Short mmCIF file of all heavy atoms in Angstrom, two decimals:
data_model
loop_
_atom_site.label_atom_id
_atom_site.label_comp_id
_atom_site.label_asym_id
_atom_site.label_seq_id
_atom_site.Cartn_x
_atom_site.Cartn_y
_atom_site.Cartn_z
N MET A 519 0.84 -1.17 0.00
CA MET A 519 0.00 0.00 0.00
C MET A 519 0.89 1.24 0.00
O MET A 519 1.88 1.31 0.71
CB MET A 519 -0.89 0.01 1.23
CG MET A 519 -1.77 1.24 1.29
SD MET A 519 -3.07 1.15 2.52
CE MET A 519 -2.18 1.65 3.97
N LEU A 520 0.52 2.21 -0.78
CA LEU A 520 1.28 3.46 -0.89
C LEU A 520 0.44 4.58 -0.31
O LEU A 520 -0.73 4.73 -0.66
CB LEU A 520 1.57 3.73 -2.36
CG LEU A 520 2.26 5.02 -2.71
CD1 LEU A 520 3.67 5.03 -2.13
CD2 LEU A 520 2.32 5.17 -4.21
N VAL A 521 1.00 5.34 0.61
CA VAL A 521 0.29 6.45 1.23
C VAL A 521 1.06 7.72 0.96
O VAL A 521 2.25 7.81 1.26
CB VAL A 521 0.16 6.24 2.76
CG1 VAL A 521 -0.53 7.42 3.40
CG2 VAL A 521 -0.57 4.96 3.06
N LEU A 522 0.42 8.72 0.37
CA LEU A 522 1.03 10.02 0.14
C LEU A 522 0.37 11.02 1.06
O LEU A 522 -0.84 11.12 1.10
CB LEU A 522 0.84 10.47 -1.32
CG LEU A 522 1.42 9.59 -2.39
CD1 LEU A 522 1.07 10.17 -3.76
CD2 LEU A 522 2.91 9.48 -2.25
N ARG A 523 1.18 11.76 1.79
CA ARG A 523 0.65 12.80 2.66
C ARG A 523 1.35 14.09 2.31
O ARG A 523 2.48 14.30 2.71
CB ARG A 523 0.88 12.45 4.12
CG ARG A 523 0.09 11.26 4.56
CD ARG A 523 0.26 11.03 6.02
NE ARG A 523 1.68 11.00 6.34
CZ ARG A 523 2.19 10.43 7.41
NH1 ARG A 523 1.40 9.86 8.26
NH2 ARG A 523 3.48 10.45 7.65
N ARG A 524 0.69 14.93 1.56
CA ARG A 524 1.30 16.19 1.16
C ARG A 524 1.44 17.10 2.37
O ARG A 524 0.55 17.23 3.18
CB ARG A 524 0.46 16.88 0.10
CG ARG A 524 0.51 16.18 -1.22
CD ARG A 524 -0.34 16.83 -2.23
NE ARG A 524 0.13 18.19 -2.46
CZ ARG A 524 -0.23 18.92 -3.48
NH1 ARG A 524 -1.05 18.43 -4.37
NH2 ARG A 524 0.21 20.14 -3.64
N GLY A 525 2.60 17.71 2.44
CA GLY A 525 2.84 18.70 3.48
C GLY A 525 3.37 18.14 4.78
O GLY A 525 3.69 18.89 5.69
N SER A 526 3.50 16.84 4.91
CA SER A 526 3.98 16.27 6.16
C SER A 526 5.44 16.64 6.40
O SER A 526 6.30 16.39 5.58
CB SER A 526 3.87 14.75 6.10
OG SER A 526 2.54 14.37 5.93
N GLY A 527 5.70 17.25 7.51
CA GLY A 527 7.06 17.54 7.91
C GLY A 527 7.74 18.63 7.11
O GLY A 527 8.96 18.67 7.08
N CYS A 528 7.00 19.47 6.46
CA CYS A 528 7.64 20.54 5.68
C CYS A 528 8.37 21.49 6.60
O CYS A 528 7.81 21.96 7.58
CB CYS A 528 6.60 21.33 4.87
SG CYS A 528 6.12 20.53 3.36
N ALA A 529 9.60 21.79 6.24
CA ALA A 529 10.38 22.74 7.03
C ALA A 529 10.22 24.15 6.47
O ALA A 529 10.81 25.08 6.97
CB ALA A 529 11.84 22.33 7.00
N PHE A 530 9.43 24.28 5.44
CA PHE A 530 9.23 25.57 4.79
C PHE A 530 7.76 25.74 4.47
O PHE A 530 7.04 24.77 4.28
CB PHE A 530 10.06 25.66 3.50
CG PHE A 530 9.93 24.43 2.65
CD1 PHE A 530 8.86 24.25 1.81
CD2 PHE A 530 10.89 23.44 2.70
CE1 PHE A 530 8.72 23.12 1.03
CE2 PHE A 530 10.76 22.30 1.92
CZ PHE A 530 9.68 22.15 1.09
N LEU A 531 7.31 26.96 4.44
CA LEU A 531 5.92 27.25 4.11
C LEU A 531 5.89 28.30 3.01
O LEU A 531 5.84 29.49 3.29
CB LEU A 531 5.17 27.74 5.35
CG LEU A 531 4.97 26.73 6.46
CD1 LEU A 531 4.33 27.38 7.68
CD2 LEU A 531 4.12 25.57 5.98
N GLN A 532 5.97 27.85 1.79
CA GLN A 532 5.88 28.74 0.64
C GLN A 532 4.95 28.10 -0.37
O GLN A 532 4.96 26.88 -0.53
CB GLN A 532 7.26 28.94 -0.01
CG GLN A 532 8.25 29.67 0.86
CD GLN A 532 9.56 29.87 0.12
OE1 GLN A 532 9.62 29.84 -1.09
NE2 GLN A 532 10.63 30.07 0.87
N PRO A 533 4.15 28.88 -1.05
CA PRO A 533 3.27 28.32 -2.07
C PRO A 533 4.07 27.54 -3.11
O PRO A 533 5.11 28.02 -3.58
CB PRO A 533 2.60 29.54 -2.68
CG PRO A 533 2.67 30.58 -1.61
CD PRO A 533 3.97 30.33 -0.90
N GLY A 534 3.62 26.35 -3.42
CA GLY A 534 4.25 25.54 -4.45
C GLY A 534 5.32 24.58 -3.95
O GLY A 534 5.78 23.74 -4.71
N LEU A 535 5.72 24.67 -2.69
CA LEU A 535 6.71 23.76 -2.14
C LEU A 535 6.02 22.78 -1.21
O LEU A 535 5.20 23.17 -0.37
CB LEU A 535 7.78 24.53 -1.36
CG LEU A 535 8.55 25.59 -2.14
CD1 LEU A 535 9.56 26.28 -1.23
CD2 LEU A 535 9.24 25.00 -3.35
N VAL A 536 6.32 21.48 -1.36
CA VAL A 536 5.68 20.47 -0.54
C VAL A 536 6.70 19.46 -0.04
O VAL A 536 7.72 19.22 -0.68
CB VAL A 536 4.56 19.71 -1.30
CG1 VAL A 536 3.44 20.65 -1.68
CG2 VAL A 536 5.09 18.99 -2.51
N GLY A 537 6.41 18.86 1.09
CA GLY A 537 7.13 17.70 1.60
C GLY A 537 6.15 16.55 1.54
O GLY A 537 4.99 16.69 1.94
N ILE A 538 6.59 15.43 1.01
CA ILE A 538 5.70 14.29 0.82
C ILE A 538 6.30 13.08 1.51
O ILE A 538 7.42 12.67 1.19
CB ILE A 538 5.49 14.00 -0.68
CG1 ILE A 538 4.91 15.24 -1.38
CG2 ILE A 538 4.57 12.80 -0.88
CD1 ILE A 538 4.88 15.14 -2.88
N ASP A 539 5.57 12.50 2.46
CA ASP A 539 5.97 11.25 3.10
C ASP A 539 5.30 10.12 2.33
O ASP A 539 4.09 10.15 2.09
CB ASP A 539 5.52 11.20 4.55
CG ASP A 539 6.35 12.10 5.44
OD1 ASP A 539 7.36 12.64 4.99
OD2 ASP A 539 5.96 12.25 6.61
N ILE A 540 6.09 9.13 1.94
CA ILE A 540 5.58 7.98 1.20
C ILE A 540 5.81 6.74 2.05
O ILE A 540 6.95 6.42 2.39
CB ILE A 540 6.30 7.85 -0.16
CG1 ILE A 540 6.05 9.11 -0.99
CG2 ILE A 540 5.83 6.59 -0.88
CD1 ILE A 540 6.85 9.18 -2.26
N THR A 541 4.74 6.07 2.39
CA THR A 541 4.81 4.84 3.18
C THR A 541 4.41 3.67 2.30
O THR A 541 3.37 3.72 1.64
CB THR A 541 3.89 4.93 4.41
OG1 THR A 541 4.29 6.06 5.19
CG2 THR A 541 3.99 3.67 5.25
N ALA A 542 5.24 2.66 2.27
CA ALA A 542 4.98 1.48 1.45
C ALA A 542 5.38 0.23 2.24
O ALA A 542 6.02 0.33 3.29
CB ALA A 542 5.77 1.56 0.14
N ALA A 543 5.04 -0.92 1.70
CA ALA A 543 5.33 -2.17 2.38
C ALA A 543 6.83 -2.45 2.48
O ALA A 543 7.27 -3.12 3.40
CB ALA A 543 4.63 -3.33 1.67
N ASP A 544 7.61 -1.95 1.52
CA ASP A 544 9.04 -2.24 1.52
C ASP A 544 9.83 -1.02 1.04
O ASP A 544 9.29 -0.11 0.43
CB ASP A 544 9.35 -3.46 0.65
CG ASP A 544 8.87 -3.28 -0.78
OD1 ASP A 544 9.57 -2.57 -1.54
OD2 ASP A 544 7.81 -3.81 -1.13
N VAL A 545 11.12 -1.04 1.31
CA VAL A 545 12.01 0.07 0.97
C VAL A 545 12.04 0.31 -0.54
O VAL A 545 11.99 1.45 -1.00
CB VAL A 545 13.43 -0.19 1.51
CG1 VAL A 545 14.41 0.87 1.00
CG2 VAL A 545 13.43 -0.21 3.02
N ALA A 546 12.11 -0.75 -1.33
CA ALA A 546 12.21 -0.59 -2.79
C ALA A 546 11.00 0.15 -3.36
O ALA A 546 11.15 1.04 -4.20
CB ALA A 546 12.36 -1.96 -3.46
N THR A 547 9.81 -0.19 -2.90
CA THR A 547 8.60 0.46 -3.40
C THR A 547 8.54 1.92 -2.97
O THR A 547 8.23 2.80 -3.77
CB THR A 547 7.34 -0.29 -2.91
OG1 THR A 547 7.42 -1.65 -3.34
CG2 THR A 547 6.08 0.35 -3.44
N ALA A 548 8.85 2.19 -1.72
CA ALA A 548 8.81 3.57 -1.22
C ALA A 548 9.83 4.43 -1.96
O ALA A 548 9.54 5.55 -2.38
CB ALA A 548 9.07 3.59 0.28
N THR A 549 11.03 3.90 -2.15
CA THR A 549 12.09 4.64 -2.84
C THR A 549 11.73 4.87 -4.30
O THR A 549 11.94 5.96 -4.84
CB THR A 549 13.43 3.89 -2.71
OG1 THR A 549 13.73 3.75 -1.32
CG2 THR A 549 14.55 4.62 -3.40
N GLU A 550 11.19 3.86 -4.96
CA GLU A 550 10.79 4.00 -6.37
C GLU A 550 9.71 5.08 -6.52
O GLU A 550 9.75 5.89 -7.45
CB GLU A 550 10.28 2.68 -6.91
CG GLU A 550 9.91 2.72 -8.37
CD GLU A 550 9.46 1.37 -8.90
OE1 GLU A 550 9.68 0.34 -8.25
OE2 GLU A 550 8.86 1.36 -9.99
N ALA A 551 8.75 5.10 -5.62
CA ALA A 551 7.68 6.10 -5.70
C ALA A 551 8.23 7.51 -5.50
O ALA A 551 7.88 8.44 -6.23
CB ALA A 551 6.60 5.80 -4.66
N ALA A 552 9.12 7.68 -4.53
CA ALA A 552 9.70 9.01 -4.28
C ALA A 552 10.57 9.44 -5.46
O ALA A 552 10.58 10.61 -5.84
CB ALA A 552 10.52 8.99 -2.99
N THR A 553 11.28 8.52 -6.06
CA THR A 553 12.12 8.82 -7.22
C THR A 553 11.25 9.22 -8.40
O THR A 553 11.61 10.13 -9.17
CB THR A 553 12.99 7.61 -7.57
OG1 THR A 553 13.81 7.29 -6.44
CG2 THR A 553 13.89 7.90 -8.77
N ALA A 554 10.09 8.60 -8.56
CA ALA A 554 9.19 8.91 -9.67
C ALA A 554 8.67 10.35 -9.61
O ALA A 554 8.31 10.93 -10.64
CB ALA A 554 8.02 7.93 -9.68
N LEU A 555 8.64 10.94 -8.42
CA LEU A 555 8.22 12.34 -8.30
C LEU A 555 9.10 13.26 -9.14
O LEU A 555 8.65 14.29 -9.63
CB LEU A 555 8.26 12.80 -6.85
CG LEU A 555 7.24 12.18 -5.91
CD1 LEU A 555 7.53 12.62 -4.49
CD2 LEU A 555 5.85 12.56 -6.33
N GLY A 556 10.36 12.87 -9.31
CA GLY A 556 11.29 13.65 -10.10
C GLY A 556 10.88 13.76 -11.56
O GLY A 556 11.35 14.65 -12.27
N GLY A 557 10.01 12.88 -12.02
CA GLY A 557 9.50 12.96 -13.38
C GLY A 557 8.33 13.92 -13.51
O GLY A 557 7.93 14.28 -14.61
N LEU A 558 7.80 14.34 -12.38
CA LEU A 558 6.66 15.26 -12.38
C LEU A 558 7.06 16.68 -12.01
O LEU A 558 6.56 17.64 -12.59
CB LEU A 558 5.60 14.77 -11.38
CG LEU A 558 5.04 13.38 -11.64
CD1 LEU A 558 4.16 12.96 -10.46
CD2 LEU A 558 4.26 13.35 -12.93
N TRP A 559 7.92 16.80 -10.99
CA TRP A 559 8.32 18.10 -10.47
C TRP A 559 9.80 18.05 -10.12
O TRP A 559 10.39 16.99 -9.95
CB TRP A 559 7.55 18.44 -9.19
CG TRP A 559 6.09 18.37 -9.32
CD1 TRP A 559 5.28 19.17 -10.07
CD2 TRP A 559 5.21 17.46 -8.66
NE1 TRP A 559 3.97 18.81 -9.92
CE2 TRP A 559 3.90 17.76 -9.06
CE3 TRP A 559 5.40 16.41 -7.78
CZ2 TRP A 559 2.79 17.07 -8.60
CZ3 TRP A 559 4.30 15.72 -7.33
CH2 TRP A 559 3.02 16.06 -7.75
N LEU A 560 10.39 19.21 -9.95
CA LEU A 560 11.75 19.28 -9.43
C LEU A 560 11.69 18.73 -8.01
O LEU A 560 10.88 19.20 -7.19
CB LEU A 560 12.23 20.73 -9.43
CG LEU A 560 13.69 20.94 -9.06
CD1 LEU A 560 14.60 20.22 -10.05
CD2 LEU A 560 14.01 22.40 -9.03
N SER A 561 12.47 17.72 -7.71
CA SER A 561 12.34 17.00 -6.44
C SER A 561 13.70 16.71 -5.81
O SER A 561 14.71 16.59 -6.51
CB SER A 561 11.60 15.68 -6.69
OG SER A 561 11.59 14.87 -5.54
N SER A 562 13.69 16.55 -4.50
CA SER A 562 14.90 16.20 -3.76
C SER A 562 15.29 14.75 -3.93
O SER A 562 16.41 14.36 -3.64
CB SER A 562 14.69 16.46 -2.27
OG SER A 562 13.70 15.58 -1.75
N GLY A 563 14.35 13.90 -4.37
CA GLY A 563 14.58 12.46 -4.36
C GLY A 563 14.29 11.92 -2.97
O GLY A 563 14.00 12.68 -2.04
N PRO A 564 14.35 10.62 -2.80
CA PRO A 564 13.95 10.02 -1.52
C PRO A 564 15.00 10.22 -0.42
O PRO A 564 16.19 10.26 -0.67
CB PRO A 564 13.81 8.54 -1.85
CG PRO A 564 14.70 8.33 -3.03
CD PRO A 564 14.67 9.62 -3.81
N SER A 565 14.49 10.35 0.80
CA SER A 565 15.36 10.39 1.98
C SER A 565 15.77 8.96 2.32
O SER A 565 15.31 8.00 1.70
CB SER A 565 14.60 10.99 3.16
OG SER A 565 13.56 10.10 3.57
N ALA A 566 16.58 8.82 3.35
CA ALA A 566 16.85 7.49 3.89
C ALA A 566 15.53 6.95 4.47
O ALA A 566 14.76 7.70 5.06
CB ALA A 566 17.90 7.57 4.98
N PRO A 567 15.25 5.67 4.28
CA PRO A 567 14.00 5.12 4.79
C PRO A 567 14.02 5.00 6.32
O PRO A 567 15.08 4.86 6.92
CB PRO A 567 13.92 3.74 4.14
CG PRO A 567 15.32 3.41 3.77
CD PRO A 567 16.04 4.70 3.55
N TRP A 568 12.83 5.09 6.90
CA TRP A 568 12.71 4.84 8.34
C TRP A 568 11.43 4.06 8.60
O TRP A 568 10.52 4.02 7.79
CB TRP A 568 12.74 6.14 9.14
CG TRP A 568 11.52 7.00 9.07
CD1 TRP A 568 10.40 6.93 9.86
CD2 TRP A 568 11.27 8.07 8.16
NE1 TRP A 568 9.49 7.88 9.51
CE2 TRP A 568 9.99 8.60 8.45
CE3 TRP A 568 11.99 8.65 7.11
CZ2 TRP A 568 9.42 9.66 7.74
CZ3 TRP A 568 11.42 9.70 6.41
CH2 TRP A 568 10.16 10.19 6.74
N HIS A 569 11.40 3.43 9.76
CA HIS A 569 10.25 2.62 10.17
C HIS A 569 9.70 3.17 11.47
O HIS A 569 10.45 3.42 12.42
CB HIS A 569 10.67 1.16 10.36
CG HIS A 569 9.58 0.31 10.93
ND1 HIS A 569 8.49 -0.08 10.20
CD2 HIS A 569 9.42 -0.20 12.15
CE1 HIS A 569 7.70 -0.81 10.96
NE2 HIS A 569 8.24 -0.89 12.16
N ASN A 570 8.40 3.36 11.51
CA ASN A 570 7.70 3.79 12.73
C ASN A 570 7.10 2.53 13.34
O ASN A 570 6.26 1.88 12.71
CB ASN A 570 6.62 4.80 12.37
CG ASN A 570 5.89 5.33 13.58
OD1 ASN A 570 5.87 4.69 14.63
ND2 ASN A 570 5.29 6.49 13.43
N PRO A 571 7.48 2.15 14.55
CA PRO A 571 6.99 0.92 15.16
C PRO A 571 5.46 0.82 15.25
O PRO A 571 4.91 -0.26 15.26
CB PRO A 571 7.61 0.92 16.55
CG PRO A 571 8.80 1.80 16.44
CD PRO A 571 8.44 2.84 15.41
N SER A 572 4.79 1.95 15.28
CA SER A 572 3.32 1.92 15.39
C SER A 572 2.64 1.86 14.03
O SER A 572 1.42 1.90 13.96
CB SER A 572 2.83 3.14 16.17
OG SER A 572 3.09 4.32 15.42
N GLN A 573 3.43 1.76 12.96
CA GLN A 573 2.88 1.80 11.60
C GLN A 573 3.54 0.70 10.77
O GLN A 573 4.74 0.48 10.87
CB GLN A 573 3.18 3.17 11.00
CG GLN A 573 2.63 3.42 9.64
CD GLN A 573 2.95 4.83 9.18
OE1 GLN A 573 3.61 5.60 9.88
NE2 GLN A 573 2.49 5.17 8.01
N ALA A 574 2.76 0.04 9.95
CA ALA A 574 3.30 -1.00 9.07
C ALA A 574 4.11 -0.35 7.95
O ALA A 574 3.84 0.77 7.53
CB ALA A 574 2.16 -1.82 8.47
N GLY A 575 5.12 -1.06 7.47
CA GLY A 575 5.89 -0.60 6.32
C GLY A 575 7.01 0.34 6.67
O GLY A 575 7.39 0.50 7.83
N VAL A 576 7.57 0.95 5.63
CA VAL A 576 8.67 1.91 5.77
C VAL A 576 8.25 3.22 5.11
O VAL A 576 7.39 3.24 4.24
CB VAL A 576 9.98 1.40 5.15
CG1 VAL A 576 10.48 0.17 5.86
CG2 VAL A 576 9.81 1.14 3.67
N THR A 577 8.88 4.31 5.53
CA THR A 577 8.54 5.63 5.01
C THR A 577 9.79 6.31 4.49
O THR A 577 10.87 6.17 5.08
CB THR A 577 7.90 6.49 6.12
OG1 THR A 577 6.73 5.82 6.61
CG2 THR A 577 7.49 7.87 5.61
N VAL A 578 9.64 7.03 3.39
CA VAL A 578 10.68 7.93 2.89
C VAL A 578 10.03 9.28 2.69
O VAL A 578 8.81 9.39 2.54
CB VAL A 578 11.34 7.44 1.57
CG1 VAL A 578 12.05 6.13 1.78
CG2 VAL A 578 10.33 7.35 0.46
N ARG A 579 10.84 10.33 2.69
CA ARG A 579 10.32 11.68 2.48
C ARG A 579 11.00 12.27 1.26
O ARG A 579 12.18 12.05 1.02
CB ARG A 579 10.60 12.55 3.70
CG ARG A 579 10.12 13.99 3.50
CD ARG A 579 10.22 14.80 4.79
NE ARG A 579 9.24 14.25 5.73
CZ ARG A 579 9.41 14.22 7.04
NH1 ARG A 579 10.51 14.69 7.59
NH2 ARG A 579 8.49 13.72 7.82
N ALA A 580 10.24 13.03 0.50
CA ALA A 580 10.79 13.78 -0.63
C ALA A 580 10.20 15.18 -0.59
O ALA A 580 9.08 15.38 -0.11
CB ALA A 580 10.44 13.10 -1.95
N TYR A 581 10.97 16.12 -1.06
CA TYR A 581 10.51 17.50 -1.17
C TYR A 581 10.38 17.83 -2.65
O TYR A 581 11.21 17.39 -3.45
CB TYR A 581 11.48 18.46 -0.49
CG TYR A 581 11.55 18.23 1.00
CD1 TYR A 581 12.53 17.42 1.55
CD2 TYR A 581 10.61 18.81 1.84
CE1 TYR A 581 12.58 17.20 2.91
CE2 TYR A 581 10.66 18.60 3.20
CZ TYR A 581 11.64 17.78 3.74
OH TYR A 581 11.68 17.56 5.09
N ALA A 582 9.34 18.56 -3.00
CA ALA A 582 9.12 18.90 -4.41
C ALA A 582 8.73 20.36 -4.56
O ALA A 582 8.08 20.93 -3.68
CB ALA A 582 8.03 18.00 -5.00
N ASP A 583 9.13 20.91 -5.68
CA ASP A 583 8.79 22.28 -6.05
C ASP A 583 7.79 22.19 -7.20
O ASP A 583 8.16 21.90 -8.33
CB ASP A 583 10.04 23.04 -6.47
CG ASP A 583 9.77 24.52 -6.75
OD1 ASP A 583 8.59 24.90 -6.93
OD2 ASP A 583 10.75 25.28 -6.82
N LEU A 584 6.51 22.37 -6.90
CA LEU A 584 5.45 22.22 -7.89
C LEU A 584 5.45 23.35 -8.91
O LEU A 584 4.77 23.27 -9.93
CB LEU A 584 4.08 22.15 -7.21
CG LEU A 584 3.95 21.10 -6.11
CD1 LEU A 584 2.53 21.07 -5.58
CD2 LEU A 584 4.38 19.73 -6.58
N ARG A 585 6.24 24.39 -8.65
CA ARG A 585 6.29 25.54 -9.55
C ARG A 585 7.25 25.31 -10.70
O ARG A 585 7.25 26.04 -11.68
CB ARG A 585 6.71 26.79 -8.80
CG ARG A 585 5.84 27.10 -7.58
CD ARG A 585 6.48 28.13 -6.69
NE ARG A 585 7.78 27.60 -6.22
CZ ARG A 585 8.59 28.25 -5.41
NH1 ARG A 585 8.28 29.46 -4.99
NH2 ARG A 585 9.72 27.73 -5.02
N ARG A 586 8.11 24.30 -10.59
CA ARG A 586 9.16 24.09 -11.59
C ARG A 586 9.04 22.72 -12.23
O ARG A 586 8.73 21.74 -11.58
CB ARG A 586 10.53 24.23 -10.94
CG ARG A 586 10.74 25.64 -10.39
CD ARG A 586 12.07 25.83 -9.75
NE ARG A 586 13.16 25.54 -10.68
CZ ARG A 586 14.43 25.41 -10.30
NH1 ARG A 586 14.74 25.55 -9.03
NH2 ARG A 586 15.36 25.16 -11.17
N ALA A 587 9.33 22.67 -13.51
CA ALA A 587 9.33 21.40 -14.24
C ALA A 587 10.53 20.56 -13.79
O ALA A 587 11.50 21.10 -13.26
CB ALA A 587 9.42 21.67 -15.74
N PRO A 588 10.47 19.25 -14.00
CA PRO A 588 11.60 18.40 -13.63
C PRO A 588 12.81 18.72 -14.50
O PRO A 588 12.69 19.31 -15.57
CB PRO A 588 11.09 16.99 -13.89
CG PRO A 588 10.00 17.16 -14.89
CD PRO A 588 9.38 18.49 -14.59
N LEU A 589 13.96 18.30 -14.02
CA LEU A 589 15.17 18.44 -14.82
C LEU A 589 15.04 17.55 -16.06
O LEU A 589 14.42 16.49 -16.00
CB LEU A 589 16.39 18.04 -13.99
CG LEU A 589 16.62 18.87 -12.73
CD1 LEU A 589 17.78 18.30 -11.93
CD2 LEU A 589 16.88 20.33 -13.09
N PRO A 590 15.63 17.92 -17.18
CA PRO A 590 15.47 17.15 -18.42
C PRO A 590 15.81 15.67 -18.26
O PRO A 590 15.13 14.83 -18.82
CB PRO A 590 16.42 17.84 -19.40
CG PRO A 590 16.51 19.24 -18.89
CD PRO A 590 16.41 19.15 -17.39
N ALA A 591 16.83 15.32 -17.52
CA ALA A 591 17.19 13.91 -17.33
C ALA A 591 16.13 13.13 -16.58
O ALA A 591 16.04 11.93 -16.69
CB ALA A 591 18.52 13.82 -16.61
N ALA A 592 15.30 13.81 -15.79
CA ALA A 592 14.28 13.13 -14.98
C ALA A 592 12.97 12.95 -15.73
O ALA A 592 12.09 12.26 -15.26
CB ALA A 592 14.03 13.92 -13.70
N ILE A 593 12.83 13.52 -16.92
CA ILE A 593 11.56 13.44 -17.63
C ILE A 593 11.25 12.02 -18.07
O ILE A 593 10.14 11.55 -17.97
CB ILE A 593 11.55 14.42 -18.83
CG1 ILE A 593 11.54 15.85 -18.29
CG2 ILE A 593 10.36 14.17 -19.73
CD1 ILE A 593 11.68 16.90 -19.35
N ASP A 594 12.25 11.28 -18.56
CA ASP A 594 12.04 9.92 -19.02
C ASP A 594 12.58 8.95 -17.98
O ASP A 594 13.79 8.80 -17.86
CB ASP A 594 12.73 9.71 -20.36
CG ASP A 594 12.54 8.32 -20.92
OD1 ASP A 594 11.78 7.53 -20.31
OD2 ASP A 594 13.14 8.00 -21.97
N PRO A 595 11.68 8.26 -17.21
CA PRO A 595 12.16 7.35 -16.18
C PRO A 595 13.05 6.23 -16.72
O PRO A 595 13.85 5.67 -16.01
CB PRO A 595 10.88 6.77 -15.56
CG PRO A 595 9.79 7.66 -16.00
CD PRO A 595 10.24 8.35 -17.25
N GLY A 596 12.95 5.92 -18.01
CA GLY A 596 13.76 4.86 -18.61
C GLY A 596 15.20 5.25 -18.83
O GLY A 596 16.03 4.40 -19.14
N THR A 597 15.54 6.53 -18.64
CA THR A 597 16.92 6.96 -18.89
C THR A 597 17.77 6.90 -17.64
O THR A 597 18.96 7.12 -17.71
CB THR A 597 16.97 8.41 -19.45
OG1 THR A 597 16.44 9.30 -18.47
CG2 THR A 597 16.22 8.52 -20.75
N GLY A 598 17.17 6.68 -16.48
CA GLY A 598 17.93 6.68 -15.24
C GLY A 598 18.45 5.36 -14.95
O GLY A 598 19.22 4.84 -14.41
#
């Protein structure tokens, strides 16, 4: 299961900037989902994964700038 929570843990409050926590059953899925954000928006990429004992799965965080297009190399996921 993939859970996206926009705005979770944002260290900044500016229009168009978001922090997204992605929780998935395993590290590979969570990391892949956070990496895919780079194809949509300029993104930090995934953080190191962490596990919350009260929650199933693992979580990674990514920051994205919704005001800017992704970098050209990130547009085609098949090129990475």
Side-chain angles (χ1 to χ4, degrees):
M519 179 168 83
L520 176 65
V521 178
L522 299 177
R523 293 185 308 202
R524 289 178 62 165
S526 299
C528 279
F530 46 82
L531 293 175
Q532 294 182 22
L535 302 179
V536 296
I538 302 171
D539 286 352
I540 299 172
T541 302
D544 58 78
V545 172
T547 303
T549 301
E550 183 178 345
T553 301
L555 291 173
L558 301 172
W559 306 293
L560 187 61
S561 172
S562 66
S565 68
W568 73 87
H569 173 73
N570 182 337
S572 66
Q573 183 178 2
V576 296
T577 302
V578 297
R579 178 172 292 147
Y581 295 95
D583 185 344
L584 307 184
R585 305 166 300 180
R586 297 181 58 192
L589 299 175
I593 292 174
D594 181 5
T597 63

